[in-house]
Amino acid sequence: MIHETAEIEDCTIEQGTNVWQYAHIRKGASIGRDTVIARGVFVDHDVSIGARCKIGNYACVYWPAVIGEGVFIGPHAVLTNDKHPSAINEDGTVKGISDWSPAGVTVKHGASIGACAVIVAGVTIGAFAKIGAGAVVTHDVPDGETWVGCPARKLDCP
Ligand SMILES: CC(C)(COP(=O)(O)OP(=O)(O)OC[C@H]1O[C@@H](n2cnc3c(N)ncnc32)[C@H](O)[C@@H]1OP(=O)(O)O)[C@@H](O)C(=O)NCCC(=O)NCCS
C-alpha cells in the first residue's frame, strides 16, 4: 500500500510494505518486504532499508545509510550524514556536493532506535542494540547493548 500523498521517486519497494501519508522516498532507495514507512518519513536517495522494519513518523534517514532487517526507528529520529555540516565554504561560497564527504549510519538487524534520537554520521548501531529516546549517539554501539543520553553512553542493565 502506498498512500496517494506519498512522494515516491524511482526506487524499489518490495511487497507487503506500507508507505503512509506524505512520506518521501528518493530515487535509488530500496525498501524490503513487510516494512512500515510511517507518515512524513524521509528516505534519502540510495538508502537501503531491510525487510520487516518500522520507520516511525517524520524520521529522516540520510544517504548513504544502510538499515538491516527488523530495525525499529522511532518517530522524529534522524540518521545524519555530515559530521561537520555548514552552509558555506570558508570563502563564503555556497557549499556544494563536492565540498563535503557523506558518512552514512549503519543499523544492524533487530536494532531499535528511540524517538527523537540523533545518530551522528558514520556511526554503526549493532544488532539488537537499543538506543534510548532523545539520545545523541556519537560512537559505534556494539551488538545487544543499550545506550542512552547525550552524548549517549552504555546503560548497564541489571
Ligand atoms: C559536535 C560535532 C561537530 C563534534 O564533532 P567532532 O569535533 O569530530 O567531535 P568528536 O566526535 O571527536 O567528539 C568529541 C566529544 O564530544 C562528544 N560529542 C560529539 N558530538 C556531540 C553532540 N552532538 N552532543 C553531545 N556530545 C557530543 C563526543 O561523544 C566526544 O566525547 P566522548 O569521547 O567523551 O564521548 C559533531 O559530533 C556533531 O554533532 N555534528 C553535527 C551532525 C549533524 O547534525 N549533521 C546534520 C547534517 S546531516
Side-chain angles (χ1 to χ4, degrees), residues 80-85 120 136 138-139 150-151 153:
T80 68
N81 66 355
D82 186 359
K83 189 157 185 200
H84 300 99
V120 170
V136 176
T138 59
H139 297 284
C150 177
R153 302 285 190 228

Side-chain angles (χ1 to χ4, degrees), residues 46-156:
D46 299 307
V47 161
S48 169
I49 296 179
R52 303 183 306 282
C53 292
K54 291 185 178 174
I55 315 297
N57 297 136
Y58 301 102
C60 291
V61 183
Y62 290 102
W63 168 75
V66 177
I67 314 300
E69 297 198 348
V71 167
F72 177 88
I73 298 179
H76 296 272
V78 183
L79 278 55
T80 68
N81 66 355
D82 186 359
K83 189 157 185 200
H84 300 99
S86 62
I88 57 173
N89 298 304
E90 286 184 6
D91 63 3
T93 56
V94 172
K95 206 167 160 184
I97 191 68
S98 59
D99 296 318
W100 64 289
S101 300
V105 167
T106 300
V107 186
K108 300 285 180 66
H109 68 276
S112 173
I113 296 173
C116 293
V118 176
I119 316 298
V120 170
V123 161
T124 294
I125 308 295
F128 289 97
K130 290 185 168 43
I131 306 302
V136 176
V137 184
T138 59
H139 297 284
D140 291 347
V141 174
D143 293 352
E145 292 188 358
T146 298
W147 283 44
V148 299
C150 177
R153 302 285 190 228
K154 184 184 178 190
L155 181 68
D156 287 316

